[in-house]
Amino acid sequence: MKLLQNEFDYRTWMTDEFLEYDDSPSSAMSQDELEQELQRMMPSSFPCLVYVAYSGNPNAPERLVFTSRNQVAEWAAAMGLT
């Protein structure tokens, strides 16, 4: 799980850790494809928490789950923390 404070944190985490993009000529995707993927997967708001959800099926792709500040606040209230 990772806290993403802003779009810069998101882009850095996605590029370096999740997609492991290295910008070399042998990369699996071009810079344009990377940008399209970053835009497609971007959360609706920041800050947020993100984690990788695995299905348990090795043939199924993992998916990212973004949790908004509002959801965390709701959970904290339900747990009596606020």
Side-chain angles (χ1 to χ4, degrees):
M1 185 175 293
K2 177 85 174 176
L3 173 63
L4 304 174
Q5 294 281 1
N6 51 45
E7 186 175 338
F8 178 80
D9 287 352
Y10 162 75
R11 288 176 172 277
T12 301
W13 179 79
M14 284 290 291
T15 303
D16 297 347
E17 295 181 40
F18 183 69
L19 297 173
E20 297 179 350
Y21 183 77
D22 66 2
D23 199 23
S24 70
S26 63
S27 290
M29 65 175 71
S30 70
Q31 190 70 28
D32 289 338
E33 291 169 324
L34 173 64
E35 182 59 30
Q36 288 175 2
E37 204 55 17
L38 291 174
Q39 290 291 326
R40 183 183 72 78
M41 298 176 79
M42 190 177 300
S44 57
S45 64
F46 296 98
C48 64
L49 295 172
V50 63
Y51 66 91
V52 180
Y54 299 96
S55 69
N57 177 350
N59 298 320
E62 63 270 351
R63 65 185 179 90
L64 297 180
V65 177
F66 294 98
T67 306
S68 70
R69 173 191 294 237
N70 292 339
Q71 180 63 64
V72 173
E74 286 178 27
W75 291 339
M79 295 174 73
L81 299 173
T82 58

